[in-house]
Amino acid sequence: MQIKEITTNKADFMDILLIGDEDEKMINKYIEQSSIFVLYENKVLTSVCAVITKDNETIEIKNLATYPKYQNRGYASALINFVCNKYKINFKYLILGTGENNKTLEFYKKRGFQETHRLKNFFIDNYEYPIFEEGKQLVDMIYLKKIL
Ligand SMILES: CC(C)(COP(=O)(O)OP(=O)(O)OC[C@H]1O[C@@H](n2cnc3c(N)ncnc32)[C@H](O)[C@@H]1OP(=O)(O)O)[C@@H](O)C(=O)NCCC(=O)NCCS
């Protein structure tokens, strides 16, 4: 597998970014300031990760996604490891916010993240339409943190 950073024409990756965050308007709020990392297997794009700098000691994953047909092959985990290794020299913490979806929360907790706080009604207040995952409407944003 090969991981590359995209520095130009980031919107070319909108298609895969929409798997991690289904509202294009929300993606447009962070895409330009994000470092975008993409993973290719045999030259085929499988996964993406968007990272921003929050403050002197913290980076945040804004988007992490793998195309459905390539899921469960370790690609998102490989991107998280890549990001941790790249940023641990200069930063202390990796944070991210996600919907209250048990599968997603388990995924991150198994990879060393712990819940810190929640933003009440984030998905109601910030998205133009209701977001459903696994048949459940997302309401609060759950924040998780990992020490780099
Ligand atoms: C979550 C996601 C990025 C994982 O990508 P991946 O390349 O399949 O990840 P890996 O192969 O490294 O790991 C697979 C793990 O993801 C879990 N997983 C599978 N589908 C999932 C889903 N829809 N949501 C969350 N986790 C999922 C699997 O249970 C597996 O967990 P385990 O290894 O702890 O048993 C991918 O499922 C995805 O793009 N989901 C939709 C977008 C999303 O929910 N993004 C995360 C919120 S920002």
Side-chain angles (χ1 to χ4, degrees), residues 27 33 40 42 49 52 67-68 92 104-105 116 132 143 146:
I27 296 173
Q33 61 178 118
Y40 290 88
N42 297 325
C49 183
I52 61 159
Y67 281 123
K92 267 195 201 162
T104 312
L105 293 171
T116 53
F132 285 87
Y143 262 90
K146 179 182 162 85

Coordinates of all heavy atoms in Angstrom, one line a residue, residues 27 33 40 42 49 52 67-68 92 104-105 116 132 143 146:
I27 N -17.7 19.7 4.5 CA -16.4 19.4 4.0 C -15.7 20.6 3.5 O -14.5 20.8 3.8 CB -16.5 18.3 2.9 CG1 -17.0 17.0 3.5 CG2 -15.1 18.1 2.3 CD1 -17.3 15.9 2.5
Q33 N -7.9 24.0 4.5 CA -6.9 24.1 5.6 C -6.4 22.7 6.1 O -5.5 22.6 6.9 CB -7.5 24.8 6.8 CG -8.7 24.1 7.4 CD -9.3 24.8 8.6 OE1 -10.5 25.3 8.6 NE2 -8.6 24.9 9.7
Y40 N -3.5 4.2 -1.4 CA -3.7 3.5 -2.6 C -3.2 2.0 -2.4 O -2.2 1.8 -1.8 CB -2.9 4.1 -3.8 CG -3.4 5.4 -4.3 CD1 -2.9 6.6 -3.7 CD2 -4.3 5.5 -5.3 CE1 -3.4 7.8 -4.1 CE2 -4.8 6.7 -5.8 CZ -4.3 7.9 -5.2 OH -4.8 9.1 -5.6
N42 N -2.3 -1.1 -4.9 CA -2.1 -1.4 -6.3 C -2.6 -0.3 -7.2 O -3.4 -0.5 -8.1 CB -2.8 -2.7 -6.6 CG -2.2 -3.9 -5.9 OD1 -1.0 -3.9 -5.6 ND2 -3.1 -4.8 -5.5
C49 N -7.9 10.5 4.7 CA -7.9 11.0 6.0 C -7.6 12.5 5.9 O -6.6 12.9 5.3 CB -6.9 10.3 6.9 SG -6.8 10.8 8.6
I52 N -6.4 18.5 10.5 CA -6.1 19.9 10.7 C -5.3 20.2 12.0 O -5.3 19.3 12.9 CB -7.4 20.8 10.7 CG1 -8.3 20.4 11.9 CG2 -8.1 20.8 9.4 CD1 -9.2 21.6 12.3
Y67 N -13.6 3.4 1.0 CA -14.7 2.9 0.1 C -15.3 1.6 0.6 O -14.5 0.7 1.0 CB -14.2 2.7 -1.3 CG -14.1 4.0 -2.1 CD1 -12.8 4.3 -2.7 CD2 -15.1 4.8 -2.4 CE1 -12.7 5.4 -3.5 CE2 -15.0 6.0 -3.1 CZ -13.8 6.3 -3.7 OH -13.6 7.4 -4.4
P68 N -16.6 1.4 0.7 CA -17.2 0.2 1.2 C -16.6 -1.1 0.7 O -16.3 -2.0 1.5 CB -18.7 0.3 0.8 CG -18.9 1.8 0.8 CD -17.6 2.4 0.2
K92 N 1.2 16.7 20.6 CA 1.0 15.8 21.8 C -0.3 14.9 21.6 O -0.4 13.8 22.1 CB 0.8 16.6 23.1 CG 2.0 16.8 23.8 CD 1.6 17.3 25.2 CE 2.8 18.1 25.9 NZ 2.3 18.9 27.0
T104 N -18.4 2.9 15.4 CA -17.4 3.9 15.1 C -16.6 4.1 16.4 O -15.4 4.2 16.5 CB -18.0 5.2 14.6 OG1 -18.8 4.9 13.5 CG2 -16.9 6.1 14.1
L105 N -17.4 4.3 17.5 CA -16.7 4.5 18.8 C -15.8 3.4 19.2 O -14.7 3.6 19.7 CB -17.8 4.8 19.9 CG -18.6 6.1 19.7 CD1 -19.7 6.2 20.7 CD2 -17.7 7.3 19.9
T116 N -13.7 12.2 25.5 CA -13.4 13.4 26.4 C -14.7 14.2 26.7 O -15.0 14.4 27.8 CB -12.4 14.3 25.8 OG1 -12.8 14.7 24.4 CG2 -11.0 13.6 25.7
F132 N -28.5 10.0 9.5 CA -28.8 8.6 10.2 C -27.6 7.7 9.9 O -27.0 7.7 8.8 CB -30.0 8.0 9.6 CG -31.3 8.6 10.0 CD1 -31.8 9.8 9.4 CD2 -32.0 8.1 11.2 CE1 -33.0 10.4 9.9 CE2 -33.1 8.7 11.6 CZ -33.6 9.9 11.0
Y143 N -16.5 13.6 21.3 CA -15.0 13.9 21.0 C -14.2 12.8 21.7 O -14.5 12.4 22.8 CB -14.6 15.3 21.5 CG -14.6 16.3 20.4 CD1 -15.8 17.0 20.0 CD2 -13.5 16.4 19.6 CE1 -15.8 17.8 18.9 CE2 -13.5 17.2 18.5 CZ -14.6 17.9 18.2 OH -14.6 18.8 17.1
K146 N -6.5 10.9 21.6 CA -5.4 9.9 21.8 C -4.1 10.6 22.0 O -3.8 11.6 21.4 CB -5.3 9.1 20.5 CG -4.3 8.0 20.4 CD -4.3 7.3 19.0 CE -3.0 6.6 18.7 NZ -3.0 5.2 19.3

